[in-house]
Amino acid sequence: MSISRMLPLRISNFLFSSHNPLSISTHHPPLFLRKMSMDTQSSAARLIDSGLLRSQGLIGGKWTDAYDGKFIKVHNPATGDVIASVPCMGRRETTDAISSAYDTFNSWSKLTASERSKCLRKWYDLLIAHKEDLAKLITLEQGKPLKEALGEVSYGASFIEFYAEEAKRVYGDIIPSTLADRRLFVLKQPVGVVGAITPWNFPLAMITRKVGPALACGCTVVIKPSELTPLTALAAAELSLQAGIPPGVVNVVMGNASDIGDTLLASPQVRKITFTGSTAVGKKLMAGASGTVKKVSLELGGNAPCIVFDDADLDVAVKGALAAKFRNSGQTCVCANRILVQEGIYEKFANAFSSAVQSLQVGNGLAEGVAQGPLINVAALQKVESFIQDATSKGAKIMLGGKRHSLGRTFYEPTVLTDVDSDMRISREEVFGPVAPLLRFKTEEEAIRNAKDTNAGLAAYIFTTNMSRSWRVSEALEFGLVGINEGIISTEVAPFGGVKQSGLGREGSKYGMDEYLEIKYVCLGNMNSP
Ligand code: NAP
């Protein structure tokens, strides 16, 4: 983390509107004028609405600096340029954000479901109205190609729309009583203040997938986005205010992750922690939540098998595996981590898949036609290199790529490895990069055994034209999501989540609401007394 005590850099001027790129809004701190790189001067990087550029945290509806004046720089992973600096917050700011969420809970949870629904619907409309700007922010701070970023905005906004509708459907129950003079009821009530900690790989969607159902149920939230991608979170929070969601319902703090996390965990006012990120951090949060016995939802790392059977439609399998592996340059929790190919189709699949991978254009996500952006940082690149080094030293062969891209920095060539086996690190750990390892198998039983041979259990993919096999294998796999002849299956209307060490709970769909509700049993007794 690079922290600066100097005059805040805040938002670099290239991000401001092309209509008036150097305007200083009263809502914004002074601009730091600096020499821009050719890349960042491009009109493609300018936002239509400069009001979306927020470089402060949001506490109780007020845009706030770190109390000690510290800042974190936010970089564009494609160029290394500093885009902005945001406050490096810690315990004191988090405590205030929790207090504001706690104070607001009373009024927000008492609104009718229909009133909350209207606010959420307005927020959805604003997210969609600003989708070009939000997508640019995502590409600038995260690196994914603009087309994928636009897809993330639609996907992310869809959770707000879906839960605006679900807000009105939080039904309780009436239970037939065992005694004639009693009536038994079940009420569903919001859990209270929610701490939402999110990763960098989907800077918008991982937030809306939590905040949509939380707000719909009547909860208030303290969001902690990744320090690598805070600008999208802040823009979404700005739009939540514009949508009429009352100050204090949505709070955003960022900075020292463990201080913020520890403060959320220790506070008895926070009743729920919802986390998306690595399994290692998820385990720490789960342990930390025990002190105050909070509800916990965890969306953690994966190690997705993608199984291609001899009877697969080759074109469908290549297209599906390509999408499942190379989306966001391989940096998603549901990315195909191991591609298991049956021996009868192995050579044909490897050749067709490699030529498809070869056609992926690598570059700055803002450039037209780019399908593969940079990795998030140099550490991620080095991790990918260490996987390749381990695999090749143990007999894997590089069919395509296998080295840093000539663009330099954090760009890596889309890579296909053959002759990979289950003991190599690349098969056992989450790769999170543009490397597709191909493993060979003989029988369906062997494929299932290998696929399940991991502590993770998030997504799995099967490619086959045999319907009975598709059911048989889906049922046998220990994973929370299974795609049959499809490489991208996430949607707001279906439950998303893992088993084993990939997490607890579900996001999206009607099941996503349950994570933010408490069940209360009410017994009305002695009804026969006057
Ligand atoms: P990460 O390192 O675990 O970070 C996730 C979030 O936790 C960030 O906001 C991070 O803050 C914060 N954090 C780190 N240490 C913390 C602590 N001690 N206490 C509280 N918060 C802490 O994960 P990442 O590298 O950002 O994301 C990649 C991982 O997320 C992969 O494993 C991927 O599979 C997983 N993921 C899972 C899903 C899913 O739905 N299952 C979806 C997307 C990603 P800073 O960034 O500010 O340090």
Coordinates of all heavy atoms in Angstrom, one line a residue, residues 5 125 191 235:
R5 N 1.3 11.4 2.6 CA 0.8 12.5 3.4 C 0.9 13.8 2.7 O 0.6 14.9 3.3 CB 1.7 12.6 4.7 CG 1.4 11.5 5.7 CD 2.4 11.7 6.9 NE 2.0 10.9 8.0 CZ 1.0 11.2 8.8 NH1 0.3 12.3 8.7 NH2 0.6 10.4 9.8
D125 N -31.9 2.6 -11.9 CA -32.1 3.5 -13.1 C -30.8 4.4 -13.2 O -30.3 4.6 -14.3 CB -33.3 4.4 -13.0 CG -34.6 3.6 -13.1 OD1 -34.6 2.4 -13.6 OD2 -35.7 4.0 -12.7
V191 N -31.5 -8.1 9.7 CA -30.6 -8.5 10.8 C -30.0 -7.2 11.5 O -29.7 -7.3 12.7 CB -29.4 -9.3 10.3 CG1 -29.8 -10.7 9.9 CG2 -28.6 -8.6 9.2
A235 N -18.4 5.8 -6.7 CA -19.4 6.4 -7.7 C -20.8 5.7 -7.4 O -21.8 6.4 -7.5 CB -18.9 6.0 -9.1

